[in-house]
């Protein structure tokens, strides 16, 4: 196995699909089966969850603390510590607008400075979900009444936790949420590396979920 010398970048590619069957269509997501032609000419079935995409926010305050919440997640039977996040389920909504909405609704906080922290596919072998994680700074509490919550969100807990403590929790295997883990590890790398100013702007292109600026 030789050393790779080309640009280290994921590239768009689409193998031929000879047939598609929708197995399930829910309110937000669905399940699809594609018949995909492999490079050797064989055809295989691939099942995956269709997803509108999502955004998450690592909100960092002036004391180096991150806004987190704890919420019950039934599929994994856990209460997980997470960062504010949500679906791109409003047609035509800018990802930044969605992130700002989630930060307001879940944490009742707004931010004066926004950057793109990371873009990831959450589980590319099983879903087409694309996730954009933002870094939000210059935090301030929002005046007025809290957004009305229901279901699992009605039991949600809010806290501000030092970034270093969250990083330790991820590496110790105590914190498992994808948005939190990718977000805080990426932020730690940024702060120890080129700095926040080197991050992409909040309206940077996102080919996985194109939007109108």
């Amino acid at each position: 196995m030789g050393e790779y010398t080309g640009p280290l970048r994921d590239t768009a590619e689409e193998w031929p699909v000879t047939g598609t069957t929708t197995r399930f269509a829910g309110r937000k997501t669905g399940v699809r089966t594609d018949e995909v032609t492999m490079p050797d000419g064989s055809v295989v079935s691939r099942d995956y969850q269709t997803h509108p995409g999502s955004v998450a926010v690592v909100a960092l305050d002036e004391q180096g603390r991150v806004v987190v919440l704890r919420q019950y997640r039934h599929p994994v039977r856990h209460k997980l510590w997470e960062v504010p996040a949500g679906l791109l389920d409003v047609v035509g909504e800018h990802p930044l607008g969605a992130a700002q909405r989630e930060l307001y609704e879940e944490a009742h906080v707004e931010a004066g400075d926004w950057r793109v922290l990371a873009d990831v596919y959450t589980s590319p072998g099983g879903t087409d979900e694309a996730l954009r994680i933002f870094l939000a700074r210059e935090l301030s509490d929002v005046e007025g009444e809290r957004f009305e919550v229901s279901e699992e969100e009605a039991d949600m807990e809010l806290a501000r936790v030092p970034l270093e403590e969250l990083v330790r929790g991820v590496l110790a295997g105590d914190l498992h949420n994808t948005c939190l883990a990718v977000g805080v590890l990426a932020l730690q790398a940024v702060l120890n590396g080129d700095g926040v100013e080197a991050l992409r702007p909040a309206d940077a292109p996102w080919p996985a979920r194109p939007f109108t600026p």
Side-chain angles (χ1 to χ4, degrees):
M1 182 180 297
E3 183 178 351
Y4 183 72
T5 58
L8 197 62
R9 177 178 297 172
D10 296 335
T11 56
E13 184 170 338
E14 187 170 353
W15 292 355
V17 175
T18 60
T20 297
T21 303
T22 299
R23 304 293 183 183
F24 168 77
R27 290 187 303 160
K28 305 296 184 182
T29 66
V31 176
R32 179 182 297 165
T33 300
D34 286 349
E35 303 299 323
V36 184
T37 302
M38 299 287 106
D40 64 1
S42 62
V43 178
V44 300
S45 295
R46 290 290 179 262
D47 302 322
Y48 60 99
Q49 179 193 32
T50 57
H51 195 285
S54 53
V55 293
V57 184
V58 177
L60 183 70
D61 69 14
E62 293 181 354
Q63 287 76 47
R65 302 173 302 174
V66 174
V67 176
V68 292
L69 53 94
R70 193 160 76 128
Q71 186 172 347
Y72 177 66
R73 295 300 188 182
H74 183 71
V76 295
R77 302 330 194 251
H78 270 70
K79 269 192 170 182
L80 299 179
W81 284 104
E82 308 177 352
V83 294
L87 299 177
L88 288 170
D89 54 359
V90 177
V91 177
E93 186 174 28
H94 194 295
L96 175 59
Q100 291 170 331
R101 184 189 70 239
E102 293 300 332
L103 184 61
Y104 165 71
E105 292 183 354
E106 294 192 347
H108 215 53
V109 167
E110 60 184 8
D113 183 78
W114 290 83
R115 314 291 173 106
V116 174
L117 190 54
D119 294 331
V120 298
Y121 291 113
T122 57
S123 183
T127 177
D128 65 358
E129 179 183 6
L131 165 68
R132 169 159 281 190
I133 304 176
F134 290 90
L135 170 64
R137 299 184 303 162
E138 299 177 10
L139 307 185
S140 59
D141 293 332
V142 179
E143 297 181 359
E145 295 182 2
R146 290 291 304 272
F147 176 76
E148 185 176 351
V149 295
S150 61
E151 300 175 349
E152 289 92 343
E153 291 183 348
D155 190 48
M156 198 163 58
E157 304 171 53
L158 282 170
R160 295 193 182 194
V161 178
L163 173 63
E164 292 78 8
E165 184 175 339
L166 295 172
V167 169
R168 286 195 296 270
V170 171
L171 298 179
D174 296 328
L175 301 173
H176 307 88
N177 176 262
T178 300
C179 301
L180 183 147
V182 174
V184 301
L185 293 177
L187 178 56
Q188 183 81 324
V190 166
L191 297 178
N192 291 336
D194 295 333
V196 171
E197 298 302 321
L199 289 173
R200 289 170 290 161
D203 60 352
W206 189 16
R209 292 295 184 273
F211 58 89
T212 302

